[in-house]
Amino acid sequence: MEDTGPNRSARNGGLGLTNTLSSGDRIVSFLIGQFSLVWIDQQQSLNFNLNVIESEWGRGANLDVLASKLAADPSHSIKAVCIVHNETATGVTNNLAAVRKLLDEYGHPALVPVNGVSSICSLDLRMDEWGIDVALTGSQKAPSMPTRMGIVCASPKAMEAAKSAKSVRVFFDWNDYLKLYKMGTYWPYTPSIQLLHGLRTALDLFFEEGFDNVTARHSRLGKATRLAVEAWGLKNCTQEEWWFHLVLTALLWWFHLVLTALIIVKRAWTRYNLIMGLGLKKVAGKVFRIGHLGKLNDVLSLRNKKHFGVEMVLRDVGYPVKLGSGVAAAAAYLQNTIPMIPSRI
Amino acid sequence: MEDTGPNRSARNGGLGLTNTLSSGDRIVSFLIGQFSLVWIDQQQSLNFNLNVIESEWGRGANLDVLASKLAADPSHSIKAVCIVHNETATGVTNNLAAVRKLLDEYGHPALVPVNGVSSICSLDLRMDEWGIDVALTGSQKAPSMPTRMGIVCASPKAMEAAKSAKSVRVFFDWNDYLKLYKMGTYWPYTPSIQLLHGLRTALDLFFEEGFDNVTARHSRLGKATRLAVEAWGLKNCTQEEWWFHLVLTALLWWFHLVLTALIIVKRAWTRYNLIMGLGLKKVAGKVFRIGHLGKLNDVLSLRNKKHFGVEMVLRDVGYPVKLGSGVAAAAAYLQNTIPMIPSRI
Amino acid sequence: MEDTGPNRSARNGGLGLTNTLSSGDRIVSFLIGQFSLVWIDQQQSLNFNLNVIESEWGRGANLDVLASKLAADPSHSIKAVCIVHNETATGVTNNLAAVRKLLDEYGHPALVPVNGVSSICSLDLRMDEWGIDVALTGSQKAPSMPTRMGIVCASPKAMEAAKSAKSVRVFFDWNDYLKLYKMGTYWPYTPSIQLLHGLRTALDLFFEEGFDNVTARHSRLGKATRLAVEAWGLKNCTQEEWWFHLVLTALLWWFHLVLTALIIVKRAWTRYNLIMGLGLKKVAGKVFRIGHLGKLNDVLSLRNKKHFGVEMVLRDVGYPVKLGSGVAAAAAYLQNTIPMIPSRI
Amino acid sequence: MEDTGPNRSARNGGLGLTNTLSSGDRIVSFLIGQFSLVWIDQQQSLNFNLNVIESEWGRGANLDVLASKLAADPSHSIKAVCIVHNETATGVTNNLAAVRKLLDEYGHPALVPVNGVSSICSLDLRMDEWGIDVALTGSQKAPSMPTRMGIVCASPKAMEAAKSAKSVRVFFDWNDYLKLYKMGTYWPYTPSIQLLHGLRTALDLFFEEGFDNVTARHSRLGKATRLAVEAWGLKNCTQEEWWFHLVLTALLWWFHLVLTALIIVKRAWTRYNLIMGLGLKKVAGKVFRIGHLGKLNDVLSLRNKKHFGVEMVLRDVGYPVKLGSGVAAAAAYLQNTIPMIPSRI
């Protein structure tokens, strides 16, 4: 299915919910960082009966609290458990298989809508095996296309729920799409032919590389970046290894109270033409982010540019980084792990 | 402002309303064809208290009924008068200045949201002079860009209404845009840089041609097409001249009860690679449409292709059209009216 | 093989000759219009011993004269017979099979370099069957790509001749290409990757349509155009039917001594944004041309635009054309001959 | 002026010569590396009376020998002094001002054709001040456009020489271009509109950045790369500082007789998706090259990717490089020299 607007959780997330739920429905939602928060903001706007489970930012979803809520809900009043796969703001990847396992243990039928904006097509996400009901991302994320196309996948269970969901919605009603799809007309609105062709090509590239290779590649880039961070004497914002975010590394900036991460990000931009994300809200000023998501054809291209640039920026602001140290750490790891390119051997 | 989805009335129309009105608000809406109907469908979905004023399809908005409603509403319970500028399904252009005049006569403060999907940047539309509060179109219409960008313009009065409108909305809340715009960050979501650049260029082309020339050009194309229709012995679906739709001509197909317009449109597609629109709903099977909207750099290019093709299709289905007759009628008119291209003289 | 410059006969033609012939070699060349003339100009620049066989412009190659020259050349002093397949300036298509037949009758080993700029991939051209040794075209002709890529095909006999040809040449020496091709490096110079990908796609489109369908389509468009010309009371510049140029129609303008074809072409450009070619040199002022070459996905699109426009221009200059007459004549023919689009039935 | 083929010296170089010289003319040409050699190859093919002045590869043009030749030529039998500005194969930049000075000292009127393929729009090249008569480059070099357009600039003196030059040429005869240019028709052949628009934009970008900034940027990148090379314990192929090639660094590979530079370049390609140039001919197996030419919007982007990658490759083949050492050396230099981006401060 195609959605068509700004492809952030704030938007697609809403669609997944309005199509499957009704105003007043009880839902559980994990708050572990800025992008979870944006989603929760809309869940509030959409008038759901919202139970937020918050973790310290830098930690993953608190599944113990979920377990207790499920245990206390024999009547299945919880209609959905909303979870962000990768929390882009803190660099944490949640364990979706564990969420499924919990729901199964309690025989709980809640829907599982997943914000997979930065994970779909870069990390391992098993919609059927993990019982995910709605999964969404955007064309400008792993597919490396222009912005503008949201991609929403729905399970049969979600499609069934759409028949009776009563949320107010006039745009992207799944039922409209299905009706015209069955008529052979396909789209209730003018479709974006260009982006649909682009998506076809993006998928071809994924299949050609193989999804195992895609996730292995992102995993290598994440590991190399974390080694660089360590070499710089900085800390990963993500607090424990099993939450390491494989397509983004968030660095905790503890060095100097006055020199906030904002200064670092600004300098990278004004002097080195280098774009980094900031920590947001609770980790504002304390985190800056290095992304490594997408069709990096050249496994090196984007990454070490940033390592190299980050080292210069850190020196510029007075942090005692040894130039080349992060790059060296990343290189020592990558040198032994990057596979040969089969077609070129 | 930018919206970002399927750019049909069904979508943008909703945004104009959710940002300015609250659930339960009383609104008046004109039903004169399929695209008005789609908008009205959503107005119902959005739970407004809806007063529909219907005209026979092929006629414009019934302003007499509006006048009586305004006269009967001294307490100003009507919050908005929704009107489609061009009803694409029947080829009728409504008179927006007359709507403004009526509202002023009654001193009525209702908002005027206008669906200008097929009129903005092709027909004369005076937002300030006619007191239009919301006007919307899509990138793939007159701007002749790819689909994907909705364009929504709001009057100061609409912006004011947005502050208190209580419709449920999570996407494209004007307040979100305004907040970030004022912060210098501009967009609450990932913007579509490519389309924004495209819009810049599309506007440059309009300004270069001059809006008077743009509307004059569309007017010529409409007139030429109507003359062709007349030469074929067919009738314009639009019943009176003051409603003639300048960017589209809808033809009334009365020739043969069994041969519906569907057959004509299908044959044009399968044999002549020619795309025409169908009449919808109430005029289904009775109308087919010839569009003449957009950046037709060559005043001839799109138009006569269709005239030429339509003649062959009509003959194919047994209608006794004289080949060349429509083209001749259009040419006789255009020959004397197309202006020289100044830069080439 | 790829050439890379201005893709007109003036250029590729030279390459075919410098790679296969030596300065001073005796060659025969047919002069039947402007594009033959351009080629002959270069043959002179390249210092060949040149025998020109001229026909009245509007007629094809004079094969009787060729026969007598071959008969008088038992020692095979003639090294090449150069011929333009389609003379774009007059709308004449030469009969290449007849040239081959003559050479075979006399057992004459002369090379046959063919300027196929406007014929390759639009008309029937059988390189092996007709014993053509060099055939050349440009990316912007039938392949409908951007300009910049010349395409030169060489027979084994031409490749053999290249080994000993002594013409001065530093660019596009076939031997350089072959040497690197055999080394697996492919190109002696930086190749144009974009155009090579484009050519791949252009060829895919030809193969998908089928070459028989491609030539049939061009044949239909040519016939329809000639019928329009007849309906206007004008004459085809091409004097006899077997020379009819299937991708271009040249119209003989006899109407008015003062109103030259230049005025017609200029008016089409300044008033109707319509580009037509002029007759050149000997037919200057007496001929204007309507092209119908390339990937006209829509069989109608380009053609009737021009018919329609030409009628208006003719009226503008006072010629008593009946508006719609040419279009009607073309339509009457096309209506019965355009095949259904298989994938859409 | 536009040329249109493979844009290497092998090609454009020929054009500069055939338009200004006649077969048999005496010319002096410097041989300092592979790209000089390619040009000399064609000068031989074009039948000039050629005097080659060779330097050890890694050194610049031997101007002492030129001086003695000029001194011994009071009759001005030398018609041209051909020189490559940047010898891409060895990383040497010749001193063109010194060539001019010598010619002036001897009052010698020889033309000065310059192969500026990798220098124009990246290094300082003063056509008028240094009395350069022909300067040529390609669209895919500093302009960072697709391949396909050669750019040839000619001095008034070269234009004058073109009137009487007798070299055989049929393509890109300057006189053809000039004739049509004066007629207002501009091109003797179908021009490449797309590339001409691209060139316009490429030039706008250069002017916006300012040529002083462009050359300063390339100079920084060259210096940073040489510092990295030094840190790796390798030698620059360019033997003395005044010849340092500012848009390319050639590394002398002395480490191991069996491990040739070919192995390094192959490994970079098969494992790290990294493309480097090889030394050619006399320095084959002994040199590999790191390019830093073009519109590197991000001053870091291309460069450190290569540094980073080169270090891994060197380790892979057993060379005892310290990971991060080259990057650190480059960073230490760049950190203090990259200017702030004015529009972002």
Side-chain angles (χ1 to χ4, degrees):
Chain A
M1 276 192 198
E2 184 213 26
D3 170 28
T4 58
N7 300 298
R8 303 286 285 269
S9 50
R11 174 68 193 312
N12 292 322
L15 294 171
L17 303 177
T18 53
N19 273 284
T20 52
L21 299 168
S22 303
S23 175
D25 277 356
R26 183 183 175 202
I27 64 174
V28 169
S29 203
F30 294 100
L31 172 53
I32 66 166
Q34 171 64 9
F35 292 93
S36 328
L37 183 58
V38 171
W39 202 13
I40 285 166
D41 276 347
Q42 346 165 2
Q43 288 156 5
Q44 282 170 328
S45 301
L46 292 169
N47 297 329
F48 296 117
N49 171 10
L50 182 60
N51 297 182
V52 174
I53 302 177
E54 184 164 8
S55 302
E56 187 187 350
W57 288 29
R59 303 187 67 86
N62 188 331
L63 299 186
D64 294 339
V65 177
L66 174 63
S68 64
K69 281 190 186 293
L70 295 174
D73 185 37
S75 66
H76 301 160
S77 69
I78 298 171
K79 297 302 178 203
V81 175
C82 301
I83 186 163
V84 171
H85 193 188
N86 287 291
E87 173 50 64
T88 308
T90 59
V92 168
T93 300
N94 278 316
N95 185 341
L96 301 181
V99 171
R100 167 52 45 207
K101 195 153 166 285
L102 268 184
L103 286 164
D104 288 350
E105 278 171 24
Y106 289 94
H108 200 289
L111 292 168
V112 182
V114 169
N115 173 333
V117 168
S118 62
S119 74
I120 289 176
C121 292
S122 64
L123 303 189
D124 193 18
L125 187 153
R126 308 183 185 187
M127 192 145 178
D128 294 334
E129 187 179 331
W130 298 345
I132 295 166
D133 293 301
V134 179
L136 47 94
T137 186
S139 52
Q140 86 276 29
K141 295 297 178 182
S144 302
M145 293 166 56
T147 56
R148 277 310 86 171
M149 178 186 269
I151 299 160
V152 180
C153 308
S155 71
K157 191 168 148 192
M159 299 303 284
E160 194 59 34
K163 292 179 184 163
S164 54
K166 290 187 177 49
S167 288
V168 170
R169 59 182 183 273
V170 294
F171 164 61
F172 201 66
D173 189 314
W174 296 355
N175 298 319
D176 289 346
Y177 275 75
L178 275 179
K179 197 171 74 179
L180 276 89
Y181 188 82
K182 284 173 187 159
M183 286 170 63
T185 315
Y186 298 109
W187 297 93
Y189 312 107
T190 311
S192 177
I193 300 296
Q194 298 93 335
L195 289 180
L196 289 168
H197 280 291
L199 183 60
R200 176 71 268 160
T201 297
L203 291 172
D204 286 346
L205 291 171
F206 283 127
F207 285 117
E208 188 184 2
E209 183 175 2
F211 277 95
D212 286 352
N213 294 327
V214 170
T215 54
R217 176 163 57 78
H218 282 95
S219 172
R220 278 196 304 278
L221 293 172
K223 173 78 173 172
T225 304
R226 288 191 299 277
L227 289 167
V229 169
E230 197 177 291
W232 297 331
L234 290 172
K235 276 218 167 55
N236 201 310
C237 173
T238 312
Q239 293 186 8
E240 300 187 39
E241 185 158 5
W242 47 83
W243 289 318
F244 280 157
H245 193 307
L246 298 174
V247 294
L248 176 133
T249 301
L251 286 73
L252 209 52
W253 179 247
W254 50 267
F255 171 62
H256 193 298
L257 290 183
V258 179
L259 282 172
T260 69
L262 177 62
I263 290 172
I264 293 175
V265 170
K266 175 132 200 252
R267 183 154 191 101
W269 170 242
T270 52
R271 182 153 209 168
Y272 300 104
N273 195 22
L274 184 61
I275 300 172
M276 293 188 292
L278 270 171
L280 299 159
K281 293 270 162 73
K282 292 204 177 180
V283 290
K286 287 187 287 190
V287 158
F288 61 93
R289 296 180 279 144
I290 301 179
H292 29 89
L293 169 65
K295 183 71 185 170
L296 303 177
N297 253 324
D298 179 330
V299 291
L300 302 169
S301 70
L302 216 54
R303 278 337 70 223
N304 49 336
K305 173 182 90 169
K306 292 202 175 168
H307 296 167
F308 187 63
V310 168
E311 293 185 356
M312 291 197 287
V313 177
L314 290 173
R315 283 274 285 243
D316 281 0
V317 301
Y319 178 82
V321 71
K322 188 171 169 306
L323 288 176
S325 60
V327 174
Y333 167 71
L334 287 173
Q335 191 203 341
N336 293 310
T337 54
I338 294 176
M340 301 297 274
I341 303 171
S343 63
R344 294 180 181 170
I345 298 172
Chain B
M1 275 194 199
E2 184 213 25
D3 169 28
T4 60
N7 301 299
R8 303 286 285 270
S9 51
R11 176 68 195 311
N12 292 323
L15 293 171
L17 304 177
T18 54
N19 274 283
T20 52
L21 300 167
S22 303
S23 176
D25 276 356
R26 184 183 174 202
I27 64 175
V28 169
S29 203
F30 294 101
L31 171 54
I32 65 165
Q34 171 64 8
F35 292 94
S36 329
L37 183 58
V38 171
W39 202 14
I40 285 167
D41 276 347
Q42 332 165 21
Q43 289 156 5
Q44 282 170 328
S45 302
L46 292 168
N47 298 327
F48 296 118
N49 172 11
L50 183 60
N51 298 181
V52 174
I53 303 177
E54 184 163 7
S55 302
E56 187 187 351
W57 289 29
R59 301 187 67 87
N62 188 330
L63 300 187
D64 294 339
V65 178
L66 176 63
S68 65
K69 282 191 187 293
L70 295 175
D73 185 36
S75 66
H76 301 161
S77 69
I78 298 171
K79 298 301 178 201
V81 175
C82 302
I83 186 162
V84 171
H85 192 187
N86 287 291
E87 173 50 63
T88 307
T90 60
V92 169
T93 300
N94 278 316
N95 184 342
L96 301 182
V99 172
R100 166 52 45 207
K101 194 151 166 286
L102 268 184
L103 285 164
D104 288 350
E105 278 171 23
Y106 291 94
H108 200 288
L111 291 168
V112 182
V114 169
N115 173 333
V117 169
S118 61
S119 74
I120 290 176
C121 292
S122 64
L123 303 189
D124 192 17
L125 188 154
R126 308 182 185 188
M127 193 144 176
D128 294 334
E129 186 179 332
W130 298 344
I132 296 167
D133 292 301
V134 179
L136 46 93
T137 186
S139 52
Q140 86 277 28
K141 296 296 178 182
S144 302
M145 294 167 55
T147 56
R148 278 310 85 173
M149 178 186 269
I151 299 160
V152 180
C153 309
S155 71
K157 189 168 150 192
M159 298 303 284
E160 193 60 33
K163 291 180 185 163
S164 56
K166 289 184 178 52
S167 287
V168 170
R169 59 184 183 272
V170 294
F171 164 63
F172 200 67
D173 189 314
W174 296 355
N175 298 319
D176 289 347
Y177 275 76
L178 276 179
K179 197 172 74 181
L180 277 88
Y181 188 83
K182 284 173 189 160
M183 285 171 64
T185 315
Y186 299 109
W187 298 94
Y189 311 108
T190 311
S192 178
I193 299 298
Q194 298 93 336
L195 289 179
L196 288 168
H197 281 291
L199 184 59
R200 176 71 267 160
T201 296
L203 291 172
D204 286 345
L205 290 171
F206 283 126
F207 285 118
E208 189 185 2
E209 184 175 2
F211 277 96
D212 285 351
N213 294 326
V214 170
T215 54
R217 177 163 56 78
H218 282 96
S219 172
R220 280 195 303 277
L221 294 171
K223 173 79 173 172
T225 303
R226 287 191 299 276
L227 288 168
V229 169
E230 196 178 292
W232 295 332
L234 290 173
K235 276 218 168 52
N236 201 310
C237 174
T238 311
Q239 293 186 8
E240 301 188 37
E241 185 158 7
W242 48 83
W243 289 318
F244 279 156
H245 193 308
L246 299 174
V247 295
L248 177 135
T249 301
L251 286 73
L252 209 53
W253 178 246
W254 50 266
F255 172 61
H256 194 297
L257 291 182
V258 179
L259 281 172
T260 68
L262 177 63
I263 290 171
I264 292 175
V265 171
K266 176 131 199 256
R267 183 155 191 98
W269 169 242
T270 53
R271 182 151 209 169
Y272 300 103
N273 195 21
L274 183 60
I275 300 171
M276 293 188 292
L278 269 171
L280 299 159
K281 291 270 163 71
K282 293 205 178 181
V283 291
K286 288 187 286 192
V287 157
F288 62 93
R289 297 180 276 142
I290 301 180
H292 29 90
L293 168 65
K295 183 70 186 170
L296 303 177
N297 253 326
D298 179 330
V299 290
L300 302 169
S301 70
L302 216 53
R303 276 338 70 222
N304 51 333
K305 173 181 91 168
K306 292 200 175 169
H307 296 168
F308 187 61
V310 168
E311 293 186 357
M312 290 197 286
V313 177
L314 289 173
R315 282 274 284 242
D316 282 359
V317 301
Y319 178 82
V321 71
K322 186 168 170 309
L323 288 176
S325 59
V327 173
Y333 168 71
L334 288 174
Q335 192 203 340
N336 294 310
T337 52
I338 294 175
M340 300 298 273
I341 303 171
S343 62
R344 293 181 182 169
I345 300 174
Chain C
M1 276 194 198
E2 184 212 26
D3 169 27
T4 59
N7 300 297
R8 303 286 285 270
S9 51
R11 174 68 193 311
N12 293 321
L15 293 170
L17 303 177
T18 52
N19 275 283
T20 52
L21 300 168
S22 303
S23 176
D25 278 354
R26 183 182 174 202
I27 64 174
V28 169
S29 202
F30 294 101
L31 171 53
I32 65 166
Q34 170 64 8
F35 291 94
S36 328
L37 183 58
V38 171
W39 203 12
I40 284 166
D41 276 347
Q42 339 166 11
Q43 288 157 6
Q44 282 170 327
S45 302
L46 291 169
N47 298 329
F48 296 118
N49 172 9
L50 183 60
N51 299 180
V52 173
I53 303 178
E54 184 164 7
S55 303
E56 189 186 349
W57 289 28
R59 301 187 67 86
N62 188 329
L63 299 187
D64 294 339
V65 177
L66 175 63
S68 64
K69 281 188 187 294
L70 294 175
D73 185 35
S75 66
H76 301 161
S77 68
I78 298 170
K79 297 303 178 201
V81 176
C82 301
I83 186 162
V84 171
H85 193 188
N86 287 291
E87 173 50 63
T88 308
T90 60
V92 169
T93 300
N94 278 316
N95 185 342
L96 301 182
V99 172
R100 166 51 47 208
K101 196 153 165 283
L102 267 184
L103 285 165
D104 287 351
E105 277 172 23
Y106 289 94
H108 200 289
L111 292 168
V112 182
V114 168
N115 173 331
V117 168
S118 62
S119 74
I120 290 176
C121 291
S122 64
L123 304 189
D124 193 15
L125 187 155
R126 306 182 186 188
M127 192 144 176
D128 294 334
E129 187 179 332
W130 298 344
I132 295 166
D133 293 301
V134 178
L136 47 93
T137 187
S139 52
Q140 86 276 28
K141 295 296 177 180
S144 302
M145 294 165 56
T147 56
R148 278 308 86 173
M149 178 186 269
I151 299 160
V152 181
C153 308
S155 70
K157 191 168 148 192
M159 299 302 284
E160 193 60 32
K163 291 180 185 163
S164 54
K166 290 184 177 50
S167 289
V168 170
R169 59 183 183 272
V170 295
F171 164 62
F172 201 67
D173 188 314
W174 295 356
N175 298 318
D176 289 348
Y177 275 75
L178 276 179
K179 197 171 75 179
L180 276 88
Y181 189 82
K182 284 172 188 159
M183 287 170 63
T185 315
Y186 299 109
W187 299 94
Y189 311 108
T190 311
S192 178
I193 300 298
Q194 297 93 335
L195 289 180
L196 289 168
H197 280 292
L199 183 60
R200 176 71 266 159
T201 297
L203 290 173
D204 286 346
L205 291 171
F206 283 126
F207 285 117
E208 189 185 2
E209 184 175 3
F211 277 95
D212 285 352
N213 294 326
V214 170
T215 54
R217 176 164 55 79
H218 283 96
S219 171
R220 279 196 305 277
L221 294 172
K223 173 79 174 172
T225 303
R226 287 191 299 276
L227 288 167
V229 169
E230 196 177 294
W232 296 332
L234 290 173
K235 276 219 168 52
N236 202 309
C237 172
T238 311
Q239 293 186 6
E240 301 187 37
E241 185 157 7
W242 46 83
W243 289 318
F244 279 157
H245 192 309
L246 299 174
V247 295
L248 176 134
T249 300
L251 285 74
L252 208 54
W253 178 246
W254 50 266
F255 171 62
H256 194 297
L257 290 183
V258 178
L259 282 171
T260 69
L262 177 63
I263 290 171
I264 294 175
V265 171
K266 176 136 199 251
R267 183 154 192 99
W269 169 243
T270 53
R271 183 152 209 170
Y272 300 104
N273 195 21
L274 183 61
I275 299 172
M276 292 188 293
L278 270 171
L280 299 160
K281 292 271 162 73
K282 294 205 177 180
V283 291
K286 289 187 286 192
V287 158
F288 62 92
R289 297 179 278 144
I290 302 179
H292 29 89
L293 168 65
K295 184 69 187 171
L296 304 177
N297 253 326
D298 180 329
V299 291
L300 301 170
S301 69
L302 217 53
R303 275 344 63 226
N304 51 332
K305 173 181 91 171
K306 293 202 174 166
H307 295 169
F308 187 62
V310 168
E311 293 185 357
M312 290 197 287
V313 177
L314 289 174
R315 283 274 284 241
D316 282 359
V317 300
Y319 178 82
V321 71
K322 187 168 171 305
L323 288 176
S325 60
V327 174
Y333 167 72
L334 287 174
Q335 191 202 342
N336 293 310
T337 53
I338 294 175
M340 302 296 274
I341 303 171
S343 62
R344 293 179 181 170
I345 300 173
Chain D
M1 277 194 196
E2 184 212 25
D3 169 27
T4 59
N7 301 299
R8 303 285 285 270
S9 50
R11 176 66 194 310
N12 292 322
L15 293 170
L17 303 177
T18 52
N19 274 285
T20 51
L21 299 168
S22 303
S23 176
D25 277 356
R26 184 183 175 201
I27 63 175
V28 169
S29 202
F30 294 101
L31 172 53
I32 66 166
Q34 171 64 8
F35 291 94
S36 328
L37 183 58
V38 171
W39 202 14
I40 285 168
D41 277 347
Q42 336 167 13
Q43 288 156 6
Q44 282 170 328
S45 301
L46 292 169
N47 297 329
F48 296 118
N49 172 11
L50 183 60
N51 298 181
V52 173
I53 302 177
E54 184 163 7
S55 302
E56 188 186 350
W57 289 28
R59 303 186 66 86
N62 187 331
L63 299 187
D64 294 339
V65 178
L66 176 62
S68 63
K69 282 190 187 292
L70 294 175
D73 185 37
S75 66
H76 301 159
S77 67
I78 298 170
K79 298 302 178 202
V81 175
C82 301
I83 186 161
V84 172
H85 194 187
N86 287 290
E87 172 51 64
T88 308
T90 60
V92 167
T93 300
N94 277 317
N95 184 340
L96 301 181
V99 171
R100 167 51 46 208
K101 196 153 164 285
L102 267 183
L103 285 165
D104 287 351
E105 278 171 22
Y106 289 95
H108 200 288
L111 293 168
V112 182
V114 168
N115 173 333
V117 169
S118 62
S119 74
I120 290 176
C121 291
S122 64
L123 303 189
D124 192 17
L125 188 155
R126 308 184 186 186
M127 192 145 177
D128 295 333
E129 186 179 331
W130 297 345
I132 295 167
D133 292 301
V134 179
L136 47 94
T137 186
S139 52
Q140 85 278 27
K141 296 297 177 181
S144 301
M145 294 166 55
T147 56
R148 279 308 88 172
M149 179 186 268
I151 299 159
V152 180
C153 308
S155 71
K157 190 168 148 191
M159 298 302 284
E160 193 58 34
K163 292 181 185 163
S164 55
K166 292 186 176 50
S167 288
V168 170
R169 58 182 185 273
V170 294
F171 164 61
F172 200 66
D173 189 315
W174 295 355
N175 298 318
D176 289 347
Y177 275 76
L178 275 179
K179 196 170 75 180
L180 277 88
Y181 188 82
K182 285 173 188 159
M183 287 170 63
T185 315
Y186 297 110
W187 298 94
Y189 311 107
T190 311
S192 178
I193 300 297
Q194 298 92 337
L195 289 180
L196 289 168
H197 280 292
L199 183 61
R200 175 72 267 160
T201 297
L203 290 173
D204 287 346
L205 292 170
F206 283 126
F207 285 117
E208 188 184 2
E209 184 175 3
F211 277 95
D212 285 351
N213 294 327
V214 170
T215 54
R217 177 165 54 79
H218 282 96
S219 171
R220 279 196 304 278
L221 293 172
K223 173 80 173 170
T225 304
R226 288 192 298 277
L227 289 168
V229 169
E230 196 177 294
W232 296 333
L234 290 172
K235 277 218 167 55
N236 201 309
C237 174
T238 311
Q239 293 186 8
E240 301 186 39
E241 186 158 4
W242 48 82
W243 289 318
F244 280 157
H245 193 308
L246 299 174
V247 294
L248 176 133
T249 301
L251 286 72
L252 208 54
W253 178 248
W254 51 266
F255 170 62
H256 194 298
L257 291 183
V258 179
L259 281 172
T260 69
L262 176 62
I263 291 171
I264 293 175
V265 170
K266 175 134 200 252
R267 184 155 192 98
W269 170 242
T270 53
R271 183 151 208 169
Y272 299 104
N273 195 22
L274 183 60
I275 299 173
M276 293 188 292
L278 269 171
L280 299 159
K281 293 270 163 74
K282 293 204 178 181
V283 291
K286 289 186 286 190
V287 157
F288 61 93
R289 296 181 277 143
I290 301 180
H292 28 89
L293 169 65
K295 183 72 187 171
L296 303 177
N297 253 326
D298 179 330
V299 290
L300 300 169
S301 69
L302 216 54
R303 278 339 67 225
N304 51 333
K305 173 182 89 169
K306 292 202 175 167
H307 297 168
F308 187 61
V310 167
E311 294 185 356
M312 290 198 286
V313 177
L314 290 173
R315 283 276 284 241
D316 281 359
V317 301
Y319 178 83
V321 72
K322 188 169 170 308
L323 288 176
S325 59
V327 173
Y333 167 71
L334 288 173
Q335 192 202 340
N336 294 310
T337 54
I338 294 175
M340 301 298 272
I341 302 171
S343 62
R344 293 180 182 170
I345 299 173

